[in-house]
Amino acid sequence: MTPELPQHRPDGQSPESIEKVSIIVSKGSLEGIYPALIMANGARMEGIEANLFFTFFGLDAINRAKHEHVKVATVGNPGLHLATWAGGIPGVSGLVTHRLAQEMEKLDIPPIPEFIEMISESGAGLYACKASVDLFGLSTEDFIPEVQDVITVGEFYGLAAGGQIIFT
């Protein structure tokens, strides 16, 4: 049974609808990137403005050389219920990633490059963090064409103003 959404907040006021979300993507693993993509896609499908800000290893999701090769982090990942030493065995990460990709395909969840293209085409903004780009010695040419710009944290906060910020 699906619960009904509340008609009013506990203080008696009508609930406010979310009009804008800005999602920070900081992890470069499959389980770090997909939640952000799913949240952004869901926002756009609901007519909510969405911006994605890729920082640190989250840049792998938009890096031309890496976005097709993102894997599940198997070492120390408690969600896998796998001993830390077992996660470090060569090939385990690739095997777990392959298996998860098969399951996502059954659910019609697209691979990261296709998902990002779809989200971009829906009108979401995709931005790379300038500090992380500089830290890793990258340039705009290292990123996929859907990335709109390399921006500072201050510029990100300007984009996020008036909305919700989600950190994945």
Side-chain angles (χ1 to χ4, degrees):
M1 179 180 219
T2 305
E4 288 189 36
L5 295 174
Q7 297 301 314
H8 296 284
R9 298 187 323 215
D11 62 4
Q13 301 295 316
S14 295
E16 295 180 31
S17 62
I18 295 173
E19 296 179 15
K20 176 172 40 173
V21 295
S22 296
I23 303 166
I24 301 168
V25 186
S26 65
K27 296 178 182 82
S29 61
L30 210 62
E31 73 278 12
I33 294 169
Y34 266 103
L37 300 182
I38 291 167
M39 295 294 293
N41 185 60
R44 293 304 304 137
M45 292 180 76
E46 295 296 323
I48 299 169
E49 181 182 338
N51 294 300
L52 289 155
F53 184 68
F54 298 88
T55 187
F56 275 81
F57 301 113
L59 290 172
D60 286 358
I62 56 172
N63 186 314
R64 290 179 196 271
K66 297 181 179 181
H67 76 287
E68 292 180 351
H69 310 288
V70 175
K71 292 187 166 80
V72 173
T74 54
V75 176
N77 186 337
L80 290 176
H81 307 286
L82 187 66
T84 300
W85 65 266
I89 295 173
V92 169
S93 181
L95 180 66
V96 172
T97 299
H98 178 72
R99 177 77 174 115
L100 192 56
Q102 287 178 326
E103 292 302 314
M104 289 192 299
E105 188 175 342
K106 288 179 191 175
L107 297 172
D108 202 27
I109 299 172
I112 288 172
E114 184 181 329
F115 210 175
I116 287 177
E117 184 178 341
M118 185 174 80
I119 291 166
S120 175
E121 288 174 356
S122 76
L126 280 74
Y127 302 93
C129 171
K130 180 166 179 15
S132 296
V133 167
D134 292 347
L135 177 67
F136 296 124
L138 300 170
S139 70
T140 55
E141 291 78 34
D142 292 308
F143 300 114
I144 58 176
E146 290 81 10
V147 174
Q148 290 175 267
D149 203 359
V150 175
I151 62 173
T152 66
V153 171
E155 290 169 318
F156 165 73
Y157 284 137
L159 285 173
Q164 302 292 317
I165 296 176
I166 300 170
F167 191 89
T168 62

